[in-house]
């Protein structure tokens, strides 16, 4: 797809998301957090849903978790964050940062599918259980699922921990995330 058409379609999709009232999360949001980054990104990160900072700013991963994500992108992938695409399973903040409910994930899912269809990344990195389960439809948790590369709709998928879990738990999880990022980088740079 031509670049200008792709950008136009992403903008139209975003406009659609900004006025979405399909689930209860619209009523408590400050901003819809559609996603950000390059429309030609080779790597696409998927988080769970906006937190407080993201809700206030309308941008994904701009709080503490985002700082760690950005650091790992720069240190392990050796690219700028803006060269990646970053989005969440749900585009509006769940109250008190609770996990998004099944019906919220389902009603928001078409935005994420369309973002993936338009960006066409070489690799998707799912961050944590919610994103991994939403994309791969697996029952097992992230500890069991990670360390393997999966296929979803023709995309390669590398599941890893959520940066918030790594911040809570510390060094060990961050080291494991680094090794997942290195595997994602190989796919990202393969032809
Ligand atoms: N956690 C997420 O899953 N997504 C964000 O955008 C921020 C924190």
């Amino acid at each position: 797809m031509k670049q200008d058409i792709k950008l136009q379609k992403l903008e139209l999709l975003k406009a659609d998301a900004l006025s979405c009232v399909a689930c209860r999360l619209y009523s408590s949001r400050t901003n819809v957090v559609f996603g950000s980054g390059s429309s030609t990104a080779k790597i696409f990160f998927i988080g769970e849903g906006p937190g407080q900072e993201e809700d206030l700013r309308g941008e994904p991963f701009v709080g503490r978790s985002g700082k760690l994500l950005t650091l790992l992108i720069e240190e392990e992938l050796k690219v700028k964050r803006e060269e990646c695409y970053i989005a969440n399973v749900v585009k509006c903040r769940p109250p008190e940062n609770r996990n998004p409910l099944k019906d919220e994930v389902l009603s928001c899912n078409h935005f994420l599918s369309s973002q993936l269809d338009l960006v066409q990344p070489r690799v998707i990195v799912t961050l944590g259980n919610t994103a991994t389960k939403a994309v791969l439809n697996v029952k097992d948790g992230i500890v069991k699922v990670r360390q393997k590369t999966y296929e979803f709709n023709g995309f390669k998928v590398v599941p890893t921990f959520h940066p918030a879990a790594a911040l809570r738990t510390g060094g060990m999880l961050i080291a494991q995330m680094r090794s997942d990022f290195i595997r994602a980088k190989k796919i990202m740079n393969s032809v």
Side-chain angles (χ1 to χ4, degrees):
M1 191 187 299
K2 279 172 108 182
Q3 179 57 12
D4 52 344
I5 299 192
K6 198 193 251 206
L7 277 171
Q8 211 177 342
K9 288 195 175 210
L10 274 169
E11 280 309 310
L12 284 174
L13 192 66
K14 182 174 180 176
D16 219 8
L18 294 191
S19 59
C20 182
V21 292
C23 81
R24 65 188 74 72
L25 296 181
Y26 89 89
S27 60
S28 52
R29 73 183 175 218
T30 314
N31 283 297
V32 173
V33 181
F34 176 69
S36 68
S38 166
S39 60
T40 57
K42 292 183 186 145
I43 188 160
F44 192 122
F45 290 92
I46 305 178
E48 179 175 306
Q52 184 177 32
E53 190 81 17
E54 289 77 20
D55 173 63
L56 289 175
R57 291 176 48 188
E59 290 284 324
F61 283 98
V62 288
R64 282 188 72 223
S65 294
K67 288 217 171 72
L68 177 57
L69 177 63
T70 305
L71 180 97
L72 294 177
I73 288 173
E74 288 171 355
E75 289 190 356
E76 300 301 342
L77 305 180
K78 317 274 186 217
V79 296
K80 295 204 181 78
R81 174 190 159 115
E82 302 77 64
E83 295 172 69
C84 310
Y85 198 92
I86 305 178
N88 283 303
V89 171
V90 294
K91 311 304 190 203
C92 298
R93 182 190 183 203
E96 314 298 326
N97 294 347
R98 65 158 168 74
N99 290 341
L101 304 177
K102 221 177 229 165
D103 66 309
E104 294 161 355
V105 171
L106 281 178
S107 59
C108 212
N109 187 46
H110 68 103
F111 288 119
L112 186 60
S113 312
S114 301
Q115 284 170 306
L116 288 167
D117 278 348
L118 289 167
V119 176
Q120 288 290 317
R122 285 193 185 153
V123 58
I124 297 170
V125 178
T126 53
L127 301 164
N129 274 320
T130 301
T132 303
K133 287 181 179 180
V135 171
L136 294 179
N137 204 15
V138 285
K139 290 232 157 46
D140 286 330
I142 188 64
V143 173
K144 271 204 170 167
V145 167
R146 66 171 279 281
Q147 286 186 294
K148 269 199 281 181
T149 302
Y150 298 78
E151 285 272 334
F152 160 75
N153 280 359
F155 300 114
K156 299 261 189 269
V157 182
V158 172
T160 192
F161 294 109
H162 193 287
L167 285 172
R168 275 196 304 273
T169 317
M172 176 76 167
L173 256 61
I174 296 181
Q176 290 175 324
M177 285 183 82
R178 285 187 188 276
S179 89
D180 295 333
F181 274 51
I182 290 168
R183 188 154 34 87
K185 182 184 176 203
K186 286 196 186 123
I187 303 167
M188 182 179 106
N189 291 335
S190 61
V191 199

